[in-house]
Amino acid sequence: MANIKQLIKIIPDANRIIFSENIEHKYLSDTLGRKTGKASALVFPSTTEEVSAVLRFAHKNNIPVTPRGAGTNLVGSTIPHDGSIILDLSLMNHILEIDKENFTALVEPGVILEDFQKHVESLGLFYPPDPGEKRASIGGNISTNAGGMRAVKYGVTRDYVMGLELVLADGTIIQTGSKNRKDTTGLDLKDIVIGSEGTLAVITKCLLKLIGKPEKSLSLLLSFDSLKSGIETVPVILKANLNPTAVEFIERKVVKLGEDFLHLQFPDPDAAAYLLLTFDGSADEIESAIGRLKKVVSDRAKKITVLDNTELSQNVWRIRGCLVKAVEAVSEQEPLDIVVPISKVDAFVNYVNQLESESKMQMISFGHAGDGNVHLCVVRGDRSEETWEKELHENLEKLYAEAHNLGGLISGEHGLGISKRDFFFRETAPENVQLMNQIKLAFDPKKLLNTNISYVK
C-alpha cells in the first residue's frame, strides 16, 4: 500500500487532512457513537476536483473510502473500514444557483437541510423533504433517500432530485439528470445512486426541484383514549381526501419523554395517544380541510386542538422532533424505522406492544402514520452489555420478521448501514442481492466505496 501521507500532495492544507492517530472519535462513528471503525486518514475536500484526485489515489492503491456528510445517520453508514480514507464533504457547503424560472437549485452536498430550506423560503420557494434531523446534509439526505413528516403529501427526497454530479470510485466525474422535467433518455443513473448510502459514487453537486411556497401552514392535535383508536383513524382521514401535509402518531408515554427532555408541555395531557396533523396551502384550502376533518373524526377523537398559536405549534413539533434524542437521554436504545403498508400500521403497532409485554423490553412507537413508517426505540434499560446484545438481537429478529410478514421493509428512511446488514440479507431474495452486487461492481469494480455496509457481500 502506498504511503497514505502522499495525500498531502492532493490536500496540501494541513487543516484539511488528519491522519489516523489524530482523528476524533466522532468521525469514526455515526450520531449514536457506539460503534467505531478505524481509518488511516480523514480528508476535507473543497472541490469536485479534489474529491476526484483522492478517489484516484485510493483506487490506484486499493484503499477503501468512506464518504461522510454531517454524520447524523443512525445505522452506522459512516463507520469506516480499517485503513480507509474518510471523505468528509462538509466544506462543500455552498448554494451555487437558485433558478427561479425553472424552479431548481444547484447545491453542494455539504449544504445543511435546515439552512437550505430557510434560504429558499426567503425567496418564496419551497423544498418539501422534511426528515426529523434538520441538521443533516443534503448529500446525506440523498444518499439515504430521506423521507420525513411531509412525505405523505409531497413524497421523499428522490422526488426532488433532478440531477447529480458524481465522482466514481476511480475518480471519473460524470453528470446525471438535468433541469428537464421529463427524461426517458437511457437509464436514470441518478435514481440508482439515490439511496445507495455512498456505495456507488460520491455526490459532489445536487440539482434539486423546488416548488412555490405554500401561503399558510396550520397544525392540529387529535387526542385519543387509546393508540389503537388513533391508528384506526388514519385511513379514515386519508380516504376522505383531505390531503394533509403530515400525519404523525405518538403515544402519551412517548410525549412525556419529550416534555421532560425539553421542559415543554403538550396540550391535553390526559390523552393516551395523539395524531399530529398539518395542512398547508391557501387559507381557504386549509379552512375547508379542517372543517371536513372535524366532521370525519368527531366520533373518534377525544379532543381536537387547533394549534393556531405559533409558539404552541412550534413547541408541539419540537417535542415530536426530539423523541429519539429524548429516549437516548434516558437510556441507550436501538432506533428503528420499519415501514409497513398503511393498512398494516395498526397490526404492527399491536404486535410491538405485545412483544414489549412478553419480552419485558421497553419499546416506544411513534412515526409517520400517513405513509406507514413506524419509528421504534427499543430501550436497553438496566441490562448488562451481554444481556442487552442477546435480547436486542432476539427482539429485532422478531420485529423484522413480523414487518416482513405484513409486507413491510426493515427501513423506510434511515438506510441499512452496518446495523441492518444481516437482517437485509435474511429478508431479501438472493436474486435481488445478486443484481444489486452486479450494479455495485459496474460502478465500483474494486469494491472500495463504503463496502462494509448495505447490500455488498
Side-chain angles (χ1 to χ4, degrees):
M1 182 183 291
N3 184 346
I4 196 69
K5 297 204 172 178
Q6 289 180 18
L7 283 169
I8 294 173
K9 297 177 182 178
I10 301 171
I11 310 288
D13 182 353
N15 293 320
R16 295 197 290 121
I17 183 166
I18 302 168
F19 295 104
S20 57
E21 61 275 10
N22 296 315
I23 298 175
E24 288 183 61
H25 175 271
K26 68 178 182 179
Y27 294 106
L28 303 173
S29 190
D30 59 6
T31 196
L32 296 177
R34 291 194 280 268
K35 298 176 182 177
T36 306
K38 295 180 180 179
S40 56
L42 165 64
V43 298
F44 296 87
S46 60
T47 65
T48 298
E49 291 68 31
E50 286 185 344
V51 172
S52 175
V54 171
L55 289 178
R56 281 199 307 273
F57 172 82
H59 189 264
K60 179 180 179 181
N61 295 287
N62 299 312
I63 303 172
V65 176
T66 303
R68 179 185 178 87
T72 59
N73 76 95
L74 296 165
V75 294
S77 301
T78 52
I79 296 176
H81 254 334
D82 288 356
S84 70
I85 297 170
I86 301 172
L87 194 65
D88 187 300
L89 301 166
S90 59
L91 296 183
M92 297 179 68
N93 60 355
H94 301 96
I95 298 173
L96 303 174
E97 178 192 63
I98 302 292
D99 184 342
K100 293 183 179 180
E101 293 183 351
N102 288 301
F103 287 85
T104 64
L106 183 65
V107 307
E108 291 180 322
V111 170
I112 299 302
L113 173 65
E114 183 177 50
D115 298 338
F116 176 64
Q117 288 178 323
K118 287 180 180 178
H119 180 71
V120 299
E121 288 181 33
S122 73
L123 302 174
L125 300 169
F126 192 53
Y127 180 69
D130 188 40
E133 179 51 76
K134 305 301 186 288
R135 299 305 297 172
S137 67
I138 296 290
N141 287 168
I142 294 172
S143 294
T144 57
N145 189 28
M149 303 174 195
R150 293 198 285 241
V152 63
K153 178 176 181 178
Y154 290 109
V156 296
T157 297
R158 181 187 303 279
D159 301 308
Y160 296 88
V161 179
M162 298 183 69
L164 295 173
E165 179 182 81
L166 303 169
V167 183
L168 303 183
D170 65 359
T172 301
I173 301 170
I174 67 170
Q175 308 293 330
T176 67
S178 68
K179 290 185 179 181
N180 297 292
R181 292 299 176 107
K182 293 182 178 180
D183 182 1
T184 59
T185 314
L187 297 178
D188 194 334
L189 297 177
K190 67 173 173 56
D191 258 11
I192 295 175
V193 172
I194 296 168
S196 64
E197 296 181 79
T199 60
L200 300 182
V202 176
I203 299 168
T204 49
K205 289 188 179 69
C206 319
L207 181 65
L208 306 175
K209 179 174 73 173
L210 305 175
I211 64 174
K213 181 181 176 181
E215 176 186 324
K216 184 179 179 182
S217 177
L218 184 63
S219 295
L220 296 89
L221 191 69
L222 309 185
S223 306
F224 295 89
D225 290 324
S226 70
L227 178 62
K228 183 177 187 295
S229 59
I231 293 293
E232 289 177 345
T233 302
V234 173
V236 175
I237 294 171
L238 298 179
K239 287 176 183 177
N241 198 27
L242 301 176
N243 203 22
T245 310
V247 184
E248 301 288 299
F249 75 90
I250 326 169
E251 290 183 276
R252 174 62 207 169
K253 63 181 181 180
V254 185
V255 168
K256 183 66 167 59
L257 290 172
E259 289 176 331
D260 292 344
F261 183 71
L262 294 177
H263 305 292
L264 297 172
Q265 184 69 46
F266 238 54
D268 194 14
D270 295 328
Y274 308 90
L275 290 181
L276 177 57
L277 291 84
T278 297
F279 293 91
D280 66 11
S282 69
D284 289 343
E285 288 172 332
I286 294 174
E287 183 179 354
S288 174
I290 291 176
R292 290 157 56 206
L293 173 73
K294 289 179 177 179
K295 292 179 181 178
V296 167
V297 304
S298 60
D299 61 343
R300 294 173 174 271
K302 171 177 173 284
K303 184 178 181 181
I304 301 171
T305 305
V306 180
L307 303 176
D308 48 7
N309 177 287
T310 301
E311 183 179 3
L312 176 61
S313 180
Q314 289 176 345
N315 287 345
V316 166
W317 277 107
R318 284 181 64 196
I319 291 170
R320 164 59 188 91
C322 82
L323 294 180
V324 172
K325 292 179 180 177
V327 176
E328 188 73 17
V330 174
S331 169
E332 181 179 339
Q333 48 95 20
E334 185 76 9
L336 311 182
D337 72 317
I338 291 169
V339 61
V340 296
I342 294 171
S343 63
K344 302 295 184 182
V345 171
D346 181 35
F348 183 71
V349 173
N350 285 339
Y351 177 80
V352 171
N353 291 335
Q354 177 185 334
L355 182 60
E356 177 184 45
S357 177
E358 293 173 354
S359 67
K360 309 303 180 187
M361 180 174 283
Q362 187 180 13
M363 299 180 188
I364 297 172
S365 305
F366 56 94
H368 316 317
D371 57 22
N373 198 174
V374 180
H375 287 273
L376 181 62
C377 297
V378 183
V379 183
R380 175 174 176 171
D382 59 1
R383 290 171 175 81
S384 67
E385 186 69 27
E386 181 180 356
T387 302
W388 165 238
E389 289 186 8
K390 176 179 178 294
E391 294 186 5
L392 173 64
H393 187 79
E394 291 172 351
N395 286 320
L396 290 182
E397 284 193 332
K398 294 174 182 177
L399 289 166
Y400 288 138
E402 180 64 14
H404 183 73
N405 291 338
L406 294 172
L409 301 167
I410 63 177
S411 178
E413 56 190 11
H414 289 175
L416 299 175
I418 292 174
S419 301
K420 301 178 184 179
R421 178 181 167 87
D422 292 342
F423 300 105
F424 166 79
F425 288 123
R426 190 186 69 180
E427 303 293 351
T428 307
E431 297 83 1
N432 291 35
V433 174
Q434 182 181 5
L435 184 56
M436 291 180 192
N437 276 284
Q438 289 172 345
I439 293 171
K440 165 69 173 176
L441 290 173
F443 276 84
D444 178 14
K446 291 187 176 183
K447 295 187 176 181
L448 296 176
L449 292 177
N450 247 12
T451 51
N452 59 330
I453 71 167
S454 144
Y455 49 80
V456 182
K457 273 190 171 180

